[in-house]
Amino acid sequence: VNIMSEWFVESANHTCGNFPPEYDEIAESGLTTLPSTKVRPERVRESAVQLECRVHQLIPVTNDLGEHTATVIHGRVVHIHVNEAVLDSSREQVDIAKLRPVARGGGNTYVTVGKMFDMARPKV
């Protein structure tokens, strides 16, 4: 799992078409890869947060006719890579404002993080 950020969303968009299996979307997009540590698939170099995962569970999705139309894949994270440029070292976590993540919203729609705020957790 490679977290998409605003700085490479146009290139990443070139990897989401209905391409035949032999089509190399990474080459066409201009993105580059890095070897993974614990899994075979490579990581996207431009992604500031990369999660190496192994398949945990496959869940078939069917339509109203009972036809298999998709599969939901649950993965188990086995290794995490985080570029230090997106870290907030004072809080020891990823700074979302630095990461500027982008999500696929379905179809041609993309979604970015909007208003952010902190709220202290209640203490017992």
Side-chain angles (χ1 to χ4, degrees):
V1 176
N2 298 280
I3 304 300
M4 186 172 25
S5 292
E6 290 179 27
W7 59 79
F8 71 97
V9 70
E10 288 189 34
S11 295
N13 186 52
H14 288 285
T15 68
C16 64
N18 284 331
F19 304 119
E22 66 276 1
Y23 186 81
D24 186 349
E25 302 109 86
I26 293 291
E28 291 295 322
S29 70
L31 295 171
T32 54
T33 60
L34 293 167
S36 294
T37 305
K38 302 209 177 206
V39 298
R40 194 173 346 145
E42 295 184 323
R43 305 175 280 137
V44 175
R45 179 186 305 265
E46 290 77 9
S47 176
V49 176
Q50 306 144 356
L51 309 175
E52 294 185 32
C53 302
R54 295 196 192 283
V55 173
H56 174 69
Q57 185 178 23
L58 300 174
I59 303 170
V61 177
T62 58
N63 63 16
D64 290 341
L65 301 174
E67 300 165 329
H68 180 247
T69 58
T71 302
V72 175
I73 303 170
H74 287 190
R76 177 170 285 136
V77 177
V78 295
H79 199 85
I80 301 172
H81 305 268
V82 179
N83 186 308
E84 290 185 14
V86 298
L87 285 178
D88 176 345
S89 57
S90 66
R91 293 168 37 160
E92 297 181 348
Q93 65 187 34
V94 171
D95 183 332
I96 298 298
K98 291 178 182 176
L99 179 60
R100 297 182 7 234
V102 177
R104 292 284 314 271
N108 293 329
T109 303
Y110 288 86
V111 180
T112 59
V113 174
K115 180 181 174 183
M116 293 183 292
F117 60 93
D118 286 340
M119 183 180 298
R121 295 181 183 182
K123 296 179 181 178
V124 178

